[in-house]
C-alpha cells in the first residue's frame, strides 16, 4: 500500500484520553479526511460527549450499511440498465457487452471503492485488502455455495481460461506490491491484460458459434434444453433468462380492456413508486421488510437518475420525471463530484456554479416538456441513458469515497489495519450482492453462468480497480506510485488467493470438471481457515 511513513499521525488519537481526542483531531492536519464529504473522525470524537462515543460509532456503522445499500441500488437499478441501453444502442454483441459494459456495471462498487482507496496514501491498504479479499470471497464462498446449491459439470475451456487469466492478474498485482513501485507504462500494461482477456473471449466466442452452427444439421432431431453453458454462449441460447416473454404475458393479464391515458401528475407519482403491488403480494416478509428500508433511498435515486429500459415498449419514457431529471441529474453531479468539491465553486467569484447548472437544467426541461408527449418517447431518448450513466457513476464514486473514509475512521477507532478492514467489511459489502445473485441464478438452473460470473467479473475489478486508482494517483502527484507493505497480512492475503486459484485449477480438472457438494464444502472451509489466519495475524498471534 502506498505510504508516506510507517504510521499515520492520526492513528495516534487512541493514545490520548477520551476528553483530549476531539482537540487532537481538530489540530492535526493528518485527520482532515479531505477525500470525503464528512470528516468522520470529527464525527466520532466531537459529535457527542466522550462517554457517548460508542453510540456515535454505532450510528456510523448504521450509516455504513446505508452507504452499502446506496452502492447496490445505484449499480443494479440505474448504472447497469443504462449501460445495457448504451450497449444496445451501439449494437454491441452480447459477448463484448458482457466482458466490458456488464463487467463494469457489476463491478462498479468494487472498482470505485478501489479507486477511491488507492488514490490516497492513508487508505490504499483498503483497496488491496478489498480486491484480494473479494477475490477470495467470490472464488470460495460464492463458488462453493453455487456448487452446494446446484452440483454441475463446468464448461472446461471457459473455466480454465478465466482461472488462468485471474492467476496472471493476481501474480502481476503481487509483483507490483513486492517491488513497491509502478510506473505509467507498467500500469497501462497491467490494464491492457484485460484487453487481451476481452479479445480471447471474442475469439473463443467466434470459434464456439462456428462450431455450433456447423453441428446444427446433425442435431436437428435432438430436443434442445436451454442451458447457459459458458460465458462463450450468447444470451439467445437462454430465451427465458431475462424473463422477457414471461414478463410480457404477465403484464398482458393486467392490461386494461379499454384504452386509458394517465395524466401528467399520475405518471409522475407512479414513476416515483418503486413498489410493485403485484410482486409485493407474492414475496416473503423478509423481502418486504428489506423493501421498506430501501424504498426511501430508491425514491431519492428515481428523482435524480434517469433509467432507459429498451426491453419495455415505451423504453421507460416518463415525460414529467425525465424532464425533472434534466434538472436533478446535472445538479447531483455538480454537488457530489469529487466529494462535493465543486458545490461551492463561484464563477468569477460571484455566481455559484450549482445555480448556473440549475437554471440551464430548468431551461432544457421546459423545452423537452413542451416538445414531447406522454405516450411517445422522443428520438433522442437514448441520450437519457448517457445522462443516467454519468449521474449514477458519479453517485457511486462519491458513495465509495464515503465508504472508504468511514472505514478508515473505524480502523483508527478500533485499531485495525486498513488491509483487514478491506478484506472483511469492504469486501463483504461489495460482494454480498454478487453472492445472492449468483446463488439465485444457480437455483434457477444456470449454475454455469453463475460460476462464470464468479471468475470473469473479478478479473475486471482487480485490473481496473488497481489500474485506474494508480492512474489517478499519478495524475495528482505527476510521479510513479509508491507502495509500502503493511506486513505479513498482505502476503497472507495474496498467497491465499493464489493458493485457492491453483487448487481450483488442479482439483476441478481432476474431478472431470464436475463441481459437487464436496468441492463446495472444501471451498467454504478454505475461506474460513484463511479468515481465521488473517485475523490471528492482525491481532499479533501469528507473526514473523
Amino acid at each position: 500500500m502506498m505510504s508516506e511513513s510507517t504510521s499515520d499521525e492520526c492513528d495516534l488519537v487512541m493514545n490520548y484520553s477520551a476528553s483530549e481526542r476531539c482537540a487532537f483531531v481538530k489540530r492535526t492536519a493528518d485527520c482532515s479526511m479531505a477525500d470525503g464529504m464528512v470528516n468522520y473522525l470529527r464525527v466520532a470524537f466531537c459529535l457527542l460527549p466522550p462517554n457517548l462515543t460508542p453510540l456515535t460509532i454505532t450510528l456510523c456503522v448504521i450509516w455504513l450499511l446505508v452507504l452499502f445499500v446506496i452502492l447496490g441500488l445505484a449499480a443494479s437499478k440505474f448504472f447497469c440498465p443504462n449501460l445495457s441501453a448504451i450497449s444496445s444502442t451501439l449494437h454491441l454483441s452480447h459477448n463484448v457487452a458482457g466482458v466490458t459494459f456488464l463487467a463494469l456495471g457489476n463491478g462498479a462498487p468494487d472498482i470505485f471503492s478501489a479507486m477511491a482507496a488507492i488514490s490516497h496514501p492513508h487508505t490504499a491498504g483498503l483497496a488491496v485488502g478489498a480486491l484480494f479479499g473479494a477475490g477470495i470471497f467470490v472464488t470460495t464462498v460464492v463458488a462453493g455455495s453455487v456448487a452446494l446449491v446446484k452440483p454441475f459439470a463446468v464448461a472446461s475451456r471457459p473455466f480454465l481460461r478465466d482461472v488462468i487469466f485471474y492467476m496472471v492478474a493476481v501474480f502481476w498485482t503481487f509483483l507490483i506490491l513486492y517491488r513497491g513501485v509502478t510506473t505509467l507504462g507498467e500500469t497501462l500494461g497491467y490494464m491492457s491484460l484485460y484487453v487481451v482477456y476481452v479479445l480471447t473471449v471474442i475469439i473463443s466466442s467466434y470459434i464456439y458459434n462456428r462450431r455450433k452452427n456447423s453441428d446444427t444439421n446433425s442435431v436437428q432431431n435432438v430436443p434442445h434444453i436451454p442451458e447457459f453453458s459458458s460465458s462463450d454462449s450468447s444470451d439467445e441460447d437462454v430465451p427465458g433468462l431475462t424473463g422477457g416473454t414471461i414478463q410480457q404475458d404477465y403484464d398482458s393479464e393486467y392490461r386494461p380492456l379499454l384504452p386509458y391515458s394517465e395524466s401528467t401528475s399520475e405518471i409522475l407519482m407512479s414513476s416515483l413508486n418503486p413498489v410493485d403491488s403485484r410482486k409485493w403480494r407474492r414475496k416473503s416478509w423478509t423481502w418486504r421488510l428489506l423493501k421498506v428500508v430501501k424504498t426511501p433511498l430508491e425514491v431519492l435515486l428515481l428523482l435524480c437518475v434517469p433509467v432507459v429500459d429498451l426491453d419495455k415498449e415505451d423504453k421507460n419514457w416518463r415525460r414529467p420525471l425525465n424532464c425533472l431529471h434534466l434538472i436533478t441529474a446535472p445538479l447531483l453531479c455538480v454537488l457530489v463530484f469529487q466529494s462535493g468539491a465543486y458545490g461551492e465553486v463561484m464563477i468569477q467569484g460571484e455566481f455559484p456554479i450549482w445555480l448556473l447548472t440549475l437554471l440551464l437544467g430548468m431551461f432544457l426541461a421546459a423545452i423537452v416538456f413542451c416538445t414531447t408527449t406522454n405516450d411517445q418517447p422522443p428520438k433522442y431518448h437514448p441520450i437519457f441513458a448517457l445522462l443516467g450513466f454519468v449521474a449514477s457513476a458519479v453517485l457511486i464514486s462519491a458513495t465509495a469515497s464515503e465508504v472508504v473514509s468511514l472505514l478508515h475512521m473505524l480502523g483508527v477507532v478500533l485499531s485495525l489495519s486498513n488491509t483487514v478492514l478491506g478484506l472483511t467489511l469492504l469486501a463483504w459489502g461489495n460482494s454480498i450482492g454478487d453472492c445472492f445473485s449468483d446463488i439465485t441464478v444457480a437455483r434457477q438452473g444456470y449454475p454455469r453462468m453463475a460460476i462464470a460470473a464468479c471468475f470473469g467479473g473479478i478479473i475486471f475489478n482487480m485490473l481496473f480497480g488497481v489500474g485506474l486508482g494508480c492512474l489517478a494517483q499519478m495524475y495528482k502527484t505527476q510521479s510513479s506510485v509508491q507502495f509500502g507493505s503493511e506486513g505479513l497480512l498482505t502476503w497472507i492475503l495474496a498467497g491465499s488467493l493464489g493458493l485457492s486459484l491453483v487448487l481450483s485449477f488442479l482439483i476441478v480438472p481432476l474431478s472431470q470438471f464436475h463441481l459437487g457438494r464436496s468441492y463446495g464444502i472444501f471451498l467454504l472451509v478454505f475461506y474460513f481457515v484463511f479468515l481465521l489466519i488473517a485475523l490471528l495475524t492482525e491481532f499479533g498471534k501469528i507473526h514473523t
Side-chain angles (χ1 to χ4, degrees):
M1 288 56 25
M2 289 170 289
S3 62
E4 295 172 341
S5 60
T6 57
S7 177
D8 298 331
E9 186 180 351
C10 198
D11 291 343
L12 302 176
V13 65
M14 298 307 294
N15 296 338
Y16 290 79
S17 64
S19 59
E20 297 175 325
R21 290 169 185 168
C22 179
F24 175 84
V25 168
K26 288 182 177 180
R27 69 171 182 265
T28 305
D30 190 54
C31 298
S32 61
M33 302 287 290
D35 288 344
M37 291 185 179
V38 179
N39 189 323
Y40 291 103
L41 285 168
R42 291 198 178 190
V43 170
F45 298 114
C46 303
L47 179 64
L48 294 176
N51 59 325
L52 294 179
T53 297
L55 175 61
T56 308
I57 301 303
T58 303
L59 295 176
C60 288
V61 171
I62 294 174
W63 175 236
L64 178 65
L65 297 177
V66 172
L67 290 175
F68 277 129
V69 172
I70 294 175
L71 276 177
L73 286 175
S76 61
K77 300 286 188 179
F78 300 89
F79 193 74
C80 287
N82 284 316
L83 275 180
S84 177
I86 292 173
S87 64
S88 298
T89 303
L90 297 177
H91 303 293
L92 296 179
S93 69
H94 291 286
N95 294 288
V96 176
V99 296
T100 54
F101 285 106
L102 183 59
L104 176 59
N106 292 340
D110 305 83
I111 294 169
F112 283 108
S113 297
M115 288 176 59
I118 208 169
S119 60
H120 195 282
H122 291 179
T123 56
L126 280 170
V128 176
L131 290 172
F132 278 47
I136 299 175
F137 183 82
V138 171
T139 56
T140 56
V141 175
V142 180
S145 300
V146 170
L148 284 173
V149 168
K150 191 80 172 180
F152 66 102
V154 72
S156 57
R157 280 168 292 187
F159 176 81
L160 292 176
R161 177 199 65 204
D162 292 344
V163 171
I164 290 173
F165 268 97
Y166 193 35
M167 284 195 294
V168 173
V170 171
F171 181 70
W172 199 332
T173 308
F174 174 81
L175 286 180
I176 291 175
L177 294 175
Y178 181 76
R179 291 175 58 244
V181 64
T182 183
T183 62
L184 177 60
E186 291 171 336
T187 302
L188 293 177
Y190 178 76
M191 297 174 66
S192 67
L193 179 61
Y194 194 77
V195 178
V196 176
Y197 174 71
V198 171
L199 293 176
T200 305
V201 171
I202 295 173
I203 294 171
S204 60
S205 172
Y206 174 76
I207 297 173
Y208 170 84
N209 288 327
R210 285 201 61 179
R211 290 184 59 186
K212 185 178 68 172
N213 293 333
S214 65
D215 295 339
T216 299
N217 295 330
S218 62
V219 294
Q220 283 181 346
N221 297 325
V222 179
H224 176 65
I225 300 175
E227 180 172 353
F228 198 101
S229 60
S230 71
S231 56
D232 291 339
S233 307
S234 66
D235 287 346
E236 285 88 4
D237 294 333
V238 196
L241 182 60
T242 59
T245 305
I246 298 174
Q247 184 65 35
Q248 290 173 5
D249 295 340
Y250 180 72
D251 290 340
S252 65
E253 296 181 6
Y254 292 87
R255 211 171 275 165
L257 296 176
L258 298 176
Y260 170 72
S261 180
E262 290 183 302
S263 66
T264 299
S265 59
E266 289 175 332
I267 292 175
L268 179 61
M269 296 305 296
S270 62
S271 302
L272 292 175
N273 180 17
V275 180
D276 187 340
S277 59
R278 294 166 293 179
K279 185 182 293 186
W280 178 272
R281 290 193 294 267
R282 294 183 289 109
K283 293 295 184 178
S284 63
W285 68 270
T286 53
W287 183 92
R288 295 181 185 182
L289 180 62
L290 184 60
K291 190 67 176 178
V292 169
V293 174
K294 294 194 299 183
T295 292
L297 298 174
E298 285 191 68
V299 172
L300 289 175
L301 291 174
L302 286 170
L303 276 170
C304 298
V305 184
V307 178
V308 175
D309 189 350
L310 299 182
D311 293 332
K312 292 185 178 180
E313 186 176 352
D314 60 359
K315 298 179 175 58
N316 203 41
W317 167 250
R318 302 291 183 266
R319 178 175 169 234
L321 183 59
N322 287 141
C323 291
L324 185 62
H325 286 149
L326 293 173
I327 302 173
T328 56
L331 199 60
L332 173 73
C333 294
V334 170
L335 294 178
V336 305
F337 184 63
Q338 290 190 350
S339 299
Y342 291 90
E344 300 178 357
V345 173
M346 307 289 285
I347 301 176
Q348 294 184 346
E350 296 182 358
F351 198 77
I353 192 171
W354 66 265
L355 183 56
L356 176 63
T357 304
L358 176 63
L359 294 176
L360 288 176
M362 294 174 65
F363 177 71
L364 289 175
I367 292 177
V368 171
F369 189 83
C370 294
T371 57
T372 57
T373 63
N374 291 334
D375 303 323
Q376 185 68 29
K379 293 182 179 180
Y380 53 81
H381 186 223
I383 296 178
F384 282 87
L386 181 61
L387 178 62
F389 162 72
V390 173
S392 56
V394 170
L395 179 63
I396 291 172
S397 177
T399 307
S401 295
E402 294 303 302
V403 169
V404 169
S405 298
L406 189 50
L407 286 177
H408 178 58
M409 180 273 290
L410 291 176
V412 171
V413 173
L414 302 176
S415 299
L416 295 173
S417 69
N418 285 324
T419 302
V420 78
L421 285 172
L423 71 90
T424 53
L425 293 181
L426 189 54
W428 295 339
N430 288 338
S431 303
I432 198 69
D434 296 335
C435 180
F436 286 117
S437 62
D438 288 342
I439 292 174
T440 301
V441 167
R443 282 177 174 168
Q444 292 174 348
Y446 304 104
R448 292 183 178 180
M449 181 177 68
I451 207 71
C454 289
F455 288 93
I458 51 182
I459 300 173
F460 183 85
N461 295 349
M462 176 166 287
L463 293 175
F464 274 76
V466 174
L468 292 176
C470 289
L471 289 179
Q473 180 69 2
M474 290 176 187
Y475 178 77
K476 288 181 182 179
T477 61
Q478 299 295 316
S479 63
S480 300
V481 177
Q482 301 292 327
F483 288 82
S485 173
E486 287 196 6
L488 181 61
L489 183 59
T490 301
W491 311 124
I492 290 177
L493 191 57
S496 298
L497 179 54
L499 180 61
S500 70
L501 293 174
V502 170
L503 290 176
S504 294
F505 184 74
L506 295 176
I507 293 175
V508 174
L510 291 175
S511 304
Q512 303 297 318
F513 294 96
H514 179 77
L515 301 187
R517 288 189 170 86
S518 58
Y519 178 72
I521 294 173
F522 164 75
L523 290 178
L524 293 176
V525 171
F526 181 94
Y527 181 77
F528 287 112
V529 170
F530 150 75
L531 192 61
L532 178 62
I533 294 174
L535 294 176
L536 290 175
T537 303
E538 172 68 15
F539 294 112
K541 302 299 181 181
I542 298 177
H543 51 80
T544 54

